[in-house]
């Protein structure tokens, strides 16, 4: 019988074992009767339960029953005493009926329990509460009988429920653990274990053990420390609740639970090993199956940048799928490493084999992925470089096909420099393309049949042919552009020469104009004497030679310009107004130069004649000059003076004077002074002739 089955009855406290003992060490059973009607059936159930608690050894010492009838009627007390005969006749040693004061005195004579001792099997005494200590020590009596023993019925009942619950659960758990442990021990590791066997017990071993330890701790504390009243006894004494039984259950439970934990550990290890084997095979089967097939389907390099990018994107999707399995590989590798560190000798070989197999497959597949990624990256770089080179060649070809109409030589030089830079950039890009193509060819050549599990020589040849074709095509395009650049370079150099000739011709015209301007503005002196005039004539000839050289240089440049225009087929381009300007200025210079020569020659003739007259008059004053000589000198001087007043008339009808009017006036003044000297000399000669004639006349008259 369990307390939980009659818990409502036990809560009524119809009877209880307080834990107290009589002088014979027998247990004291207390039946507190109340004023209300007591159910004999419930009391019988309570007694049956209470008497099932003590051990047989304890029962053999007998019970002392205290029937508290102070609040009850005599007939009920008598019924209870008689019921003890039927319930526990052999275990009862003494029944103490606690009577009320002066209430039962008359009735006791009608029924004397002591006379019925032989029939009842135990002694019954009537005693008042204050005299109960004659039979039982006060320390073994509860406070309701004047004793010092502390008893809490509900506390006892709760502890009893805990004890019974622990006993029931621990016993059941022990049986289950024993069955599990024996079943597991009987299964051979290599044999298949039954799947319908319940591996988990009905109760949590940790919870049951904790409950047992708490219960045992409570029992030991109450036994050794005593209650608040100071007594060493309690209703949870080991004789009542069988403390050794709790300890024995705990020991057995710990033993079986330790075995169960080992069984769980072994089973968990086997389960984990099986799961690892399953996952390893899943990874291996996928990598060697669908994973390898994905790589087999991706072998080309594309024929353009867009195609290679599409292949790279597809490869990234393949890598993403592989990454999920590689993550599983990392997790499995960690689990295997942990098992290797804590595993048994019998599992080491199998675990190392799984680890090696998994690592070989994963590293091989990762190498193939990396190799494929490198090939695709090289292919993308190659096609990108080829695309850039193609665009550069198109741009260069566009420059070469466009008409060149530069404004001047600097623009031609700039265009030529830009063209050279373009060609140099194309050459550099072509060199980079060759290098990247060579790298890609080497990678494809190393892409042997084991890489994808099949022979891909034919497909590799297609890729190799494509790469070589692209490089050859770019080389041919570059060569054609280079040839065109050579032609364009020659043409531009001719244009530079053309602009240079035109520029130099214009410079020659400018120089010739400056010579003409200098001739008119600065070459105005006629000389003070014949010697100086002669020197001026010599300088003028040299000046004319410089002008002639400048004119000839301009003519040659203009002729070269015509030839270059014909070579460049510049039908719309000619020398413009440079040649007419050159010819016009040269004609003006020629006219001015002739005028200058004539004036210098007239001045030279004048100075020679005048100086002869003047010199002869000084050296040979007695010799006179002919009148015609004087007249000739005067005529030349006047003619020269007249010439100085006449402007230079150019072929186009325009006129230009030498120097400024003040300059001409200065030259004319000098000539006039010299004419005066000559005139004075003529007058002197005439006077001298007259005097001579007079003297001769006088002499002839005197003779």
């Amino acid at each position: 019988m369990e307390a939980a089955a009659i818990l409502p009855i036990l809560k009524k406290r119809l009877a209880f074992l307080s834990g107290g003992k009589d002088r014979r060490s027998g247990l004291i059973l207390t039946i507190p009767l109340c004023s209300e009607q007591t159910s004999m059936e419930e009391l019988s159930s309570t007694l049956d339960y209470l008497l099932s608690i003590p051990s047989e050894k304890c029962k053999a010492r007998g019970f002392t029953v205290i029937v508290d009838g102070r609040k009850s009627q005599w007939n009920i007390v008598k019924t209870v005493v008689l019921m003890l005969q039927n319930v526990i006749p052999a275990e009862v040693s003494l029944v103490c009926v606690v009577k009320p004061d002066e209430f039962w005195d008359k009735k006791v004579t009608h029924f004397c329990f002591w006379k019925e001792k032989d029939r009842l099997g135990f002694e019954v005494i009537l005693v008042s509460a204050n005299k109960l200590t004659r039979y039982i020590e006060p320390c073994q009596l509860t406070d309701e009988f004047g004793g010092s023993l502390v008893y809490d019925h509900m506390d006892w009942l709760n502890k009893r429920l805990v004890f019974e619950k622990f006993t029931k659960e621990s016993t059941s758990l022990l049986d289950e653990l024993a069955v599990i442990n024996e079943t597991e021990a009987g299964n051979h590791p290599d044999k298949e274990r039954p799947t319908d066997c319940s591996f988990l017990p009905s109760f949590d071993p940790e919870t049951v053990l904790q409950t047992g330890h708490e219960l045992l701790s409570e029992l030991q504390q109450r036994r050794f420390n005593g209650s608040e009243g100071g007594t060493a006894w309690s209703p949870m004494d080991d004789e009542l609740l069988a403390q050794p039984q709790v300890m024995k259950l705990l020991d057995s439970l710990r033993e079986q639970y330790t075995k169960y934990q080992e069984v769980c550990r072994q089973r968990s290890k086997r389960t984990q090993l099986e799961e690892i084997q399953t996952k390893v095979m899943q990874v291996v089967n996928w990598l060697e199956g669908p994973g390898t097939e994905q790589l087999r389907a991706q072998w080309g390099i594309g024929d353009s940048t867009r195609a290679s990018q599409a292949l790279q994107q597809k490869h990234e999707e393949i890598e993403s799928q592989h990454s999920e399995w590689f993550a599983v590989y990392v997790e499995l590798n960690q689990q295997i490493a942990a098992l290797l560190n804590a595993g048994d000798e019998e599992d080491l070989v199998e675990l190392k084999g799984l680890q090696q197999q998994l690592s070989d497959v994963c590293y091989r597949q990762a190498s193939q992925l990396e190799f494929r990624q490198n090939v695709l990256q090289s292919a993308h770089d190659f096609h990108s470089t080829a695309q850039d080179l193609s665009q550069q060649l198109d741009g260069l070809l566009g420059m070469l096909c466009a008409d060149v109409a530069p404004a001047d030589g600097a623009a031609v030089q700039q265009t030529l420099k830009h063209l050279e830079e373009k060609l140099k950039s194309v050459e550099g890009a072509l060199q980079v393309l060759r290098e990247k193509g060579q790298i890609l060819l080497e990678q494809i050549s190393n892409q042997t049949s084991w890489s994808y599990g099949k022979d891909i020589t034919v497909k590799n040849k297609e890729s190799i042919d494509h790469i070589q074709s692209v490089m050859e095509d770019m080389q041919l395009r570059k060569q054609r552009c280079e040839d065109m650049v050579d032609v364009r370079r020659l043409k531009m150099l001719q244009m530079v020469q053309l602009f240079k000739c035109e520029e130099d011709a214009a410079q020659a015209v400018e120089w010739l104009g400056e010579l003409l301007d200098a001739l008119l503005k600065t070459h105005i002196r006629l000389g003070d004497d014949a010697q100086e005039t002669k020197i001026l004539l010599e300088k003028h000839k040299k000046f004319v030679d410089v002008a002639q050289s400048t004119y000839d240089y301009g003519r040659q440049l203009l002729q070269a310009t015509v030839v270059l225009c014909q070579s460049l087929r510049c039908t719309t381009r000619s020398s413009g107004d440079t040649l007419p300007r050159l010819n016009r200025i040269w004609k003006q210079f020629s006219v001015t130069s002739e005028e200058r020569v004539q004036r210098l020659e007239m001045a030279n003739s004048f100075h020679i004649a005048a100086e002869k007259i003047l010199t002869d008059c000084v050296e040979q004053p007695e010799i006179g000059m002919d009148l015609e000589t004087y007249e000739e000198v005067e005529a030349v001087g006047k003619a020269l003076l007249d010439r100085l007043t006449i402007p230079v008339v150019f072929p186009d009808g325009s006129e230009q004077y030498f120097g400024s009017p003040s300059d001409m006036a200065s030259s004319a003044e000098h000539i006039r002074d010299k004419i005066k000297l000559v005139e004075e000399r003529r007058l002197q000669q005439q006077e001298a002739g007259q005097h001579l004639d007079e003297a001769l006349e006088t002499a002839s008259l005197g003779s």
Side-chain angles (χ1 to χ4, degrees):
M1 183 182 297
E2 296 180 357
I6 58 171
L7 182 61
I9 298 175
L10 293 177
K11 287 182 178 180
K12 294 180 180 181
R13 198 171 175 265
L14 300 178
F16 61 87
L17 290 168
S18 63
K21 295 182 180 180
D22 57 19
R23 291 185 174 88
R24 299 184 310 275
S25 298
L27 295 176
I28 297 176
L29 175 62
T30 303
I31 302 176
L33 298 177
C34 58
S35 59
E36 298 178 358
Q37 185 68 28
T38 301
S39 172
M40 294 299 113
E41 182 179 355
E42 292 180 350
L43 179 59
S44 177
S45 299
T46 302
L47 292 175
D48 289 341
Y49 175 74
L50 293 176
L51 293 174
S52 66
I53 296 175
S55 63
E56 294 299 327
K57 181 180 178 180
C58 186
K59 289 179 182 180
R61 290 195 292 267
F63 289 89
T64 294
V65 181
I66 299 176
V67 180
D68 187 2
R70 289 176 295 178
K71 297 180 181 181
S72 181
Q73 301 177 1
W74 165 249
N75 59 344
I76 296 176
V77 173
K78 184 175 67 173
T79 302
V80 170
V81 172
L82 293 176
M83 185 182 65
L84 294 175
Q85 180 185 9
N86 298 326
V87 177
I88 50 173
E91 289 82 2
V92 176
S93 299
L94 176 65
V95 176
C96 296
V97 178
V98 181
K99 64 179 181 176
D101 296 338
E102 300 178 357
F103 184 71
W104 287 342
D105 292 343
K106 297 180 180 180
K107 295 182 180 181
V108 171
T109 57
H110 298 287
F111 186 82
C112 296
F113 287 109
W114 64 273
K115 295 180 180 181
E116 300 294 330
K117 180 178 179 180
D118 295 336
R119 185 173 66 84
L120 292 174
F122 49 80
E123 181 182 0
V124 179
I125 60 174
L126 294 176
V127 63
S128 59
N130 55 0
K131 297 180 180 180
L132 191 60
T133 55
R134 296 178 181 178
Y135 306 95
I136 303 172
E137 296 293 335
C139 65
Q140 302 298 321
L141 293 174
T142 58
D143 59 349
E144 55 191 318
F145 300 113
S148 60
L149 181 64
V150 178
Y151 173 73
D152 187 343
H153 183 71
M154 292 308 298
D155 179 68
W156 171 85
L157 183 57
N158 291 334
K159 293 295 186 297
R160 187 64 194 175
L161 290 172
V162 173
F163 170 76
E164 290 183 355
K165 181 175 181 293
F166 167 71
T167 304
K168 179 181 179 181
E169 290 181 354
S170 60
T171 304
S172 175
L173 182 60
L174 281 172
D175 294 338
E176 292 181 1
L177 292 178
V179 171
I180 292 173
N181 294 338
E182 291 174 1
T183 303
E184 190 69 18
N187 290 330
H188 193 276
D190 295 336
K191 293 182 179 179
E192 182 179 358
R193 292 184 297 275
T195 57
D196 57 348
C197 178
S198 176
F199 186 68
L200 296 176
S202 303
F203 304 100
D204 180 23
E206 295 287 347
T207 304
V208 175
L209 282 171
Q210 182 179 358
T211 303
H213 285 299
E214 292 175 355
L215 178 60
L216 181 60
S217 176
E218 181 69 20
L219 292 175
Q220 292 173 343
Q221 182 180 5
R222 291 177 64 89
R223 177 170 178 78
F224 295 112
N225 296 339
S227 62
E228 295 178 358
T231 179
W233 306 103
S234 71
M236 300 302 289
D237 188 74
D238 58 342
E239 292 181 334
L240 294 176
L241 293 180
Q243 180 178 333
Q245 182 181 356
V246 176
M247 297 177 64
K248 183 178 180 181
L249 285 173
L250 285 174
D251 292 340
S252 301
L253 190 58
R254 279 192 291 266
E255 180 182 359
Q256 290 295 331
Y257 183 52
T258 301
K259 294 180 180 180
Y260 172 74
Q261 286 179 319
E262 179 62 22
V263 168
C264 291
R265 191 186 69 82
Q266 293 293 335
R267 174 168 288 194
S268 175
K269 186 181 68 174
R270 289 195 300 270
T271 303
Q272 187 177 7
L273 184 58
E274 291 174 355
E275 291 177 354
I276 289 176
Q277 289 176 337
T278 302
K279 290 182 179 180
V280 167
M281 294 313 300
Q282 288 177 348
V283 174
V284 171
N285 291 336
W286 190 89
L287 292 178
E288 292 182 344
T292 301
E293 287 300 325
Q294 288 179 351
L295 287 176
R296 286 177 179 175
Q298 299 292 322
W299 60 268
I301 61 172
D303 56 358
S304 63
T305 303
R306 181 176 298 179
S308 61
Q309 287 177 343
L311 290 174
Q312 281 184 316
Q313 184 177 0
K314 180 63 178 177
H315 185 73
E316 289 175 357
E317 296 175 359
I318 295 175
E319 283 185 334
S320 177
Q321 297 181 18
H322 278 74
S323 297
E324 299 176 1
W325 290 98
F326 288 153
V328 177
Y329 156 70
V330 173
E331 181 181 357
L332 287 175
N333 200 34
Q334 294 175 350
Q335 294 178 2
I336 293 174
L339 290 177
L340 286 174
N341 293 332
D344 299 331
E345 292 294 334
E346 59 186 16
D347 299 329
L348 292 179
V349 176
E350 184 177 1
L351 287 172
K352 288 183 178 179
L354 287 174
Q355 189 180 42
Q356 188 63 41
Q357 181 185 11
L358 184 62
S359 297
D360 291 343
V361 173
C362 288
Y363 278 115
R364 183 170 61 250
Q365 197 74 0
S367 298
Q368 294 177 9
L369 285 170
E370 183 180 6
F371 177 81
R372 176 61 179 168
Q373 176 63 29
N374 292 336
V375 170
L376 290 177
Q377 184 61 46
S378 298
H380 180 267
D381 294 343
F382 175 78
H383 287 119
S384 297
T385 305
Q387 182 176 347
D388 294 341
L389 177 57
S390 179
Q391 292 175 354
Q392 292 185 33
L393 288 170
D394 291 340
L396 180 58
L397 184 62
M399 287 183 61
L400 294 171
C401 293
D403 291 334
V404 180
D408 51 25
V412 176
Q413 292 282 7
Q414 185 65 27
T415 304
L416 182 58
K417 180 180 178 182
H418 185 51
L419 193 64
E420 295 288 353
E421 290 175 352
K422 282 276 189 180
L423 182 60
K424 186 176 180 180
S425 176
V426 166
E427 291 175 349
L430 182 60
Q431 181 61 31
V432 173
L433 180 68
R434 292 194 190 100
E435 295 173 356
K436 293 186 177 181
Q438 187 61 36
I439 293 174
L440 184 56
L441 288 173
E442 291 176 357
Q443 289 178 335
I444 293 177
S445 299
N446 294 331
Q447 187 175 336
T448 54
S449 59
W450 65 267
S451 298
Y452 301 115
K454 62 179 181 178
D455 188 6
I456 55 173
T457 304
V458 176
K459 295 181 178 180
N460 276 348
K461 187 176 183 304
E462 294 178 3
S463 300
I464 291 173
D465 292 342
H466 169 69
I467 296 170
Q468 292 176 344
S469 175
V470 170
M471 291 193 296
E472 291 174 358
D473 179 61
M474 293 300 171
Q475 177 63 35
L476 290 175
R477 291 179 60 186
K478 182 259 181 183
Q479 188 62 48
R480 288 196 296 269
C481 288
E482 195 172 32
D483 295 340
M484 295 178 67
V485 167
D486 292 338
V487 175
R488 177 56 62 88
R489 184 187 296 110
L490 178 60
K491 182 177 181 180
M492 287 188 170
L493 291 176
Q494 290 179 342
M495 294 185 69
V496 170
Q497 190 176 3
L498 172 63
F499 281 114
K500 182 64 176 174
C501 289
E502 291 179 346
E503 182 180 350
D504 291 347
Q507 185 66 48
V509 173
E510 183 178 352
W511 287 343
L512 194 59
E514 292 175 355
L515 292 174
L516 175 60
D517 189 59
L519 179 60
L520 288 171
K521 293 181 179 180
T522 62
H523 293 212
I524 55 177
R525 283 182 57 80
L526 298 178
D528 294 338
D529 52 28
Q531 183 65 30
E532 185 181 359
T533 302
K534 187 176 181 181
I535 293 174
L536 290 175
L537 278 172
E538 293 296 331
K539 289 182 178 180
H540 180 71
K541 289 180 180 179
K542 294 179 179 179
F543 185 77
V544 172
D545 291 340
V546 172
Q548 182 67 49
S549 299
T550 303
Y551 172 72
D552 294 339
Y553 176 65
R555 292 281 299 183
Q556 292 174 0
L557 289 173
L558 291 175
Q559 291 176 358
T561 300
V562 174
V563 174
L564 288 173
C565 286
Q566 293 175 353
S567 176
L568 293 172
R569 298 180 180 178
C570 297
T571 56
T572 59
R573 190 178 186 88
S574 63
S575 59
D577 62 343
T578 305
L579 181 59
R581 286 175 55 223
L582 180 64
N583 291 330
R584 182 177 67 254
I585 293 175
W586 176 247
K587 290 179 180 180
Q588 292 176 350
F589 184 86
S590 299
V591 172
T592 305
S593 176
E594 291 177 0
E595 179 64 24
R596 173 66 174 168
V597 170
Q598 290 179 5
R599 291 186 180 188
L600 287 174
E601 288 179 349
M602 290 178 66
N604 186 49
S605 299
F606 170 74
H607 285 304
I608 291 173
E611 290 173 358
K612 182 179 180 182
I613 293 174
L614 295 175
T615 302
D616 290 345
C617 292
V618 174
E619 294 177 355
Q620 298 177 357
E622 69 279 2
I623 299 176
M625 289 293 177
D626 294 338
L627 183 60
E628 293 179 358
T629 302
Y630 287 104
E631 291 177 355
E632 182 180 354
V633 171
E634 290 178 359
V636 172
K638 290 180 180 180
L640 181 57
L641 289 174
D642 292 339
R643 191 113 187 187
L644 291 177
T645 60
I646 299 174
V648 180
V649 180
F650 296 141
D652 57 358
S654 61
E655 297 178 351
Q656 185 69 39
Y657 289 92
F658 278 98
S660 62
S662 60
D663 294 334
M664 291 296 100
S666 176
S667 299
E669 184 66 25
H670 181 71
I671 295 172
R672 289 192 185 94
D673 291 341
K674 210 162 194 179
I675 292 175
K676 288 180 179 180
L677 291 175
V678 173
E679 180 64 25
E680 291 176 356
R681 180 58 185 160
R682 185 175 68 83
L683 292 175
Q684 292 175 0
Q685 183 177 347
Q686 287 179 353
E687 290 178 355
Q690 290 176 358
H691 289 306
L692 181 59
D693 290 340
E694 290 178 355
L696 290 176
E697 287 179 0
T698 304
S700 63
L701 289 178
S703 60

